[in-house]
Amino acid sequence: MKKFAVFASGNGSNFEAIAKRMREEKWDAELSLLVTDKPQAKAVERAEALHIPSFAFEPSSFENKAAFERAVIEQLRLHGAELIVLAGYMRLIGDTLLEAYGGRIINIHPSLLPAFPGIDAVGQAYRAGVKVAGITVHYVDEGMDTGPIIAQKAFEIQENDTLENIEHTIHELEHKWYPSVVKQLLGLNNRGEKA
Ligand code: GAR
């Protein structure tokens, strides 16, 4: 059974959506660890409620990025993680993690990349007056929201849409599609079995 980890820095709604789908559909896989760089994150509470182990670290208590990434890798190995799923992890992945897990780290971003990378992507798109918005799942490299695109979902923005309801639609799309992409990358078929 393939094991994977989710990294989150905040709310963790995507983390929870993936965990729930995995359980509802009885995937032949296990979300074995939540990793967070924010010990107070809501994602940690969600992990506790879901009985999923979490590793929360304080980046400032390590000498540098390489040192905390080494600690993260130790935890990933302890929990057998073969795939890393970033879900609102607001930190660039460094060389140490890329060397250990290169090609096996994916991210979700709330825009149609390469448009609007970085923070507040939905706000950036809204202020730019885009008529089509969406989400992107991509492999992670050393850049900010760069790396080969795996999947995108788009929707049209209506005349009277507010930033809030666009954000709502984005989250709905993320919760629906990110679990499906993760499932596919774990090599599982529609029934959640090894393909
Ligand atoms: C999601 O909308 C995700 O796309 C975004 O953070 C949010 C996390 O929400 N990620 C990025 O902006 C990455 N650059 P969540 O904590 O409720 O899952």
Side-chain angles (χ1 to χ4, degrees), residues 8-16 43 46 86-90 107-111 117-122 135-136 138 144-145 170-171 174-175:
S9 300
N11 186 13
S13 70
N14 279 283
F15 157 67
E16 183 164 327
R46 294 185 194 260
L86 307 185
Y89 182 68
M90 301 314 251
N107 180 42
I108 190 159
H109 185 74
S111 76
I119 57 164
D120 190 24
V122 185
I135 60 169
T136 303
H138 63 96
M144 164 108 64
D145 302 316
I170 292 268
H171 273 116
E174 290 187 331
H175 298 164

Coordinates of all heavy atoms in Angstrom, one line a residue, residues 8-16 43 46 86-90 107-111 117-122 135-136 138 144-145 170-171 174-175, ligand 1:
A8 N 0.8 21.3 4.8 CA -0.1 22.5 4.9 C 0.4 23.5 5.9 O 1.0 23.1 6.9 CB -1.5 22.0 5.2
S9 N 0.1 24.8 5.6 CA 0.6 25.8 6.6 C -0.6 26.5 7.3 O -0.4 27.3 8.2 CB 1.4 26.9 5.8 OG 2.5 26.4 5.2
G10 N -1.8 26.2 6.8 CA -2.9 27.0 7.4 C -4.2 26.2 7.7 O -4.1 25.2 8.4
N11 N -5.2 26.6 7.0 CA -6.5 26.0 7.2 C -6.6 24.5 7.1 O -7.2 23.7 7.9 CB -7.5 26.7 6.3 CG -8.9 26.3 6.6 OD1 -9.3 25.7 7.6 ND2 -9.8 26.6 5.7
G12 N -6.0 24.0 6.0 CA -6.0 22.5 5.8 C -7.3 21.9 5.2 O -7.5 20.7 5.4
S13 N -8.1 22.7 4.6 CA -9.3 22.2 4.0 C -9.0 21.2 2.9 O -9.7 20.2 2.7 CB -10.3 23.3 3.6 OG -9.8 23.9 2.4
N14 N -8.0 21.4 2.1 CA -7.6 20.4 1.1 C -7.1 19.2 1.7 O -7.4 18.1 1.2 CB -6.6 21.0 0.1 CG -7.3 21.9 -0.9 OD1 -7.9 21.4 -1.9 ND2 -7.2 23.2 -0.7
F15 N -6.3 19.3 2.7 CA -5.8 18.1 3.4 C -7.0 17.2 3.9 O -7.0 16.0 3.6 CB -4.9 18.6 4.6 CG -4.8 17.6 5.7 CD1 -4.1 16.4 5.5 CD2 -5.4 17.8 7.0 CE1 -3.9 15.5 6.6 CE2 -5.3 16.9 8.0 CZ -4.5 15.7 7.8
E16 N -8.0 17.9 4.5 CA -9.1 17.1 5.0 C -9.9 16.5 3.8 O -10.4 15.4 3.9 CB -10.0 18.0 5.8 CG -11.2 17.3 6.4 CD -11.9 18.0 7.5 OE1 -11.2 18.8 8.3 OE2 -13.1 17.8 7.6
A43 N -4.9 23.1 10.4 CA -4.6 21.8 9.7 C -4.2 20.7 10.8 O -4.6 19.5 10.7 CB -3.5 21.9 8.7
R46 N -7.3 19.5 12.4 CA -8.0 18.6 11.5 C -7.3 17.2 11.5 O -8.0 16.1 11.5 CB -8.0 19.1 10.1 CG -8.8 20.4 9.9 CD -8.8 20.8 8.5 NE -9.2 22.1 8.2 CZ -10.5 22.5 7.8 NH1 -11.4 21.5 7.7 NH2 -10.7 23.7 7.6
L86 N 1.5 19.0 -1.6 CA 1.5 20.3 -0.9 C 0.1 20.9 -1.1 O -0.5 20.9 -2.2 CB 2.5 21.3 -1.6 CG 3.9 20.8 -1.7 CD1 4.8 22.0 -2.3 CD2 4.5 20.4 -0.4
A87 N -0.5 21.3 0.0 CA -1.9 21.8 0.0 C -1.9 23.1 0.9 O -2.2 23.0 2.1 CB -2.9 20.8 0.5
G88 N -1.5 24.2 0.3 CA -1.4 25.4 1.1 C -0.2 25.5 2.0 O -0.2 26.0 3.0
Y89 N 0.9 24.8 1.5 CA 2.2 24.9 2.2 C 2.9 26.1 1.6 O 3.3 26.1 0.5 CB 3.0 23.6 2.0 CG 4.3 23.6 2.7 CD1 4.4 23.5 4.1 CD2 5.5 23.6 2.0 CE1 5.6 23.5 4.8 CE2 6.7 23.6 2.6 CZ 6.8 23.5 4.0 OH 8.0 23.4 4.7
M90 N 3.0 27.2 2.4 CA 3.4 28.5 1.9 C 4.9 28.7 2.1 O 5.3 29.7 2.7 CB 2.5 29.6 2.6 CG 1.1 29.5 2.4 SD 0.6 29.1 0.7 CE -0.2 30.6 0.2
N107 N 1.8 20.2 -6.1 CA 1.3 21.3 -5.4 C 0.0 21.7 -6.1 O -0.2 21.4 -7.3 CB 2.2 22.5 -5.6 CG 1.7 23.8 -4.9 OD1 1.2 23.7 -3.8 ND2 1.9 24.9 -5.5
I108 N -0.9 22.3 -5.3 CA -2.1 22.9 -5.9 C -2.0 24.4 -5.8 O -1.6 24.9 -4.7 CB -3.4 22.4 -5.3 CG1 -4.6 22.8 -6.2 CG2 -3.6 22.7 -3.9 CD1 -5.9 22.0 -6.0
H109 N -2.4 25.1 -6.8 CA -2.4 26.6 -6.8 C -3.7 27.1 -7.3 O -4.2 26.7 -8.3 CB -1.2 27.1 -7.6 CG -1.0 28.6 -7.5 ND1 -0.5 29.2 -6.4 CD2 -1.4 29.6 -8.4 CE1 -0.5 30.5 -6.6 NE2 -1.0 30.8 -7.8
P110 N -4.3 28.2 -6.6 CA -5.6 28.7 -7.0 C -5.6 29.7 -8.2 O -6.2 30.7 -8.1 CB -6.1 29.3 -5.7 CG -4.9 29.8 -5.0 CD -3.8 28.9 -5.4
S111 N -4.9 29.4 -9.2 CA -5.0 30.2 -10.5 C -4.7 29.3 -11.6 O -4.2 28.1 -11.4 CB -4.0 31.4 -10.4 OG -2.7 30.9 -10.7
P117 N 1.1 33.5 -10.0 CA 1.8 32.7 -9.0 C 1.9 33.5 -7.7 O 1.6 34.7 -7.7 CB 3.2 32.5 -9.6 CG 3.4 33.7 -10.5 CD 2.0 34.1 -11.0
G118 N 2.3 32.8 -6.6 CA 2.6 33.5 -5.4 C 1.3 33.7 -4.5 O 0.3 33.0 -4.7
I119 N 1.4 34.6 -3.5 CA 0.3 34.7 -2.6 C -0.9 35.5 -3.2 O -0.7 36.2 -4.1 CB 0.8 35.3 -1.2 CG1 1.4 36.7 -1.5 CG2 1.7 34.4 -0.5 CD1 1.5 37.5 -0.2
D120 N -2.0 35.3 -2.6 CA -3.3 35.9 -3.0 C -3.6 35.8 -4.5 O -3.9 36.8 -5.1 CB -3.2 37.4 -2.5 CG -4.6 38.1 -2.7 OD1 -5.6 37.4 -2.7 OD2 -4.6 39.3 -2.8
A121 N -3.4 34.6 -5.0 CA -3.6 34.4 -6.4 C -5.0 34.8 -6.8 O -5.2 35.3 -7.9 CB -3.3 32.9 -6.7
V122 N -6.0 34.4 -6.0 CA -7.4 34.7 -6.4 C -7.6 36.2 -6.4 O -8.2 36.7 -7.4 CB -8.4 34.0 -5.4 CG1 -9.8 34.2 -5.9 CG2 -8.1 32.5 -5.3
I135 N -7.9 26.5 -11.2 CA -6.9 25.9 -10.4 C -5.9 25.1 -11.2 O -6.2 24.6 -12.3 CB -7.6 25.0 -9.3 CG1 -8.3 23.8 -10.0 CG2 -8.5 25.8 -8.4 CD1 -8.8 22.7 -9.0
T136 N -4.7 24.9 -10.6 CA -3.7 24.1 -11.3 C -3.0 23.2 -10.3 O -2.7 23.6 -9.2 CB -2.6 25.1 -11.8 OG1 -3.1 26.1 -12.7 CG2 -1.5 24.3 -12.6
H138 N 0.4 20.9 -10.1 CA 1.7 20.8 -10.9 C 2.7 20.1 -10.1 O 2.7 20.1 -8.8 CB 2.1 22.2 -11.3 CG 2.5 23.1 -10.2 ND1 3.7 23.3 -9.7 CD2 1.7 23.9 -9.4 CE1 3.7 24.1 -8.7 NE2 2.5 24.5 -8.5
M144 N 8.7 29.3 -7.5 CA 7.4 29.6 -6.8 C 6.3 29.3 -7.7 O 6.0 30.0 -8.7 CB 7.4 31.1 -6.4 CG 6.1 31.6 -6.0 SD 5.9 31.9 -4.3 CE 7.1 33.1 -4.0
D145 N 5.5 28.2 -7.4 CA 4.4 27.8 -8.3 C 4.8 27.6 -9.7 O 4.0 27.9 -10.7 CB 3.2 28.8 -8.2 CG 2.8 29.0 -6.7 OD1 2.6 28.0 -6.0 OD2 2.6 30.2 -6.3
I170 N -13.4 28.4 -6.2 CA -12.1 27.8 -6.3 C -11.9 26.7 -5.2 O -11.4 25.6 -5.6 CB -11.0 28.9 -6.0 CG1 -11.0 30.0 -7.1 CG2 -9.6 28.3 -5.7 CD1 -10.0 29.8 -8.2
H171 N -12.4 26.9 -4.0 CA -12.2 25.9 -3.0 C -13.0 24.6 -3.3 O -12.5 23.5 -3.2 CB -12.6 26.4 -1.6 CG -11.4 27.1 -0.9 ND1 -11.4 28.4 -0.6 CD2 -10.2 26.6 -0.5 CE1 -10.2 28.7 0.0 NE2 -9.5 27.6 0.0
E174 N -11.1 22.8 -5.9 CA -9.9 22.2 -5.3 C -10.3 20.9 -4.6 O -9.7 19.8 -4.7 CB -9.2 23.1 -4.4 CG -8.6 24.3 -5.1 CD -7.7 25.2 -4.1 OE1 -8.0 25.2 -2.9 OE2 -6.8 25.8 -4.6
H175 N -11.3 21.0 -3.8 CA -11.7 19.8 -2.9 C -12.2 18.7 -3.8 O -12.1 17.5 -3.4 CB -12.8 20.2 -1.9 CG -12.3 21.3 -1.0 ND1 -13.1 22.0 -0.2 CD2 -11.0 21.7 -0.7 CE1 -12.4 22.9 0.6 NE2 -11.1 22.7 0.3
Ligands
GAR1 C1 -5.6 26.6 -1.4 O1 -6.5 27.5 -2.1 C2 -4.3 26.4 -2.3 O2 -4.6 26.4 -3.6 C3 -3.5 27.6 -1.9 O3 -3.6 27.7 -0.5 C4 -5.0 27.4 -0.2 C5 -4.9 26.5 1.0 O4 -6.2 26.2 1.5 N1 -2.1 27.4 -2.3 C6 -1.3 28.3 -2.7 O5 -1.6 29.5 -2.9 C7 0.1 27.9 -3.1 N2 0.8 28.9 -3.7 P1 -6.4 25.1 2.6 O6 -5.4 25.3 3.7 O7 -7.8 25.3 3.1 O8 -6.3 23.7 1.9

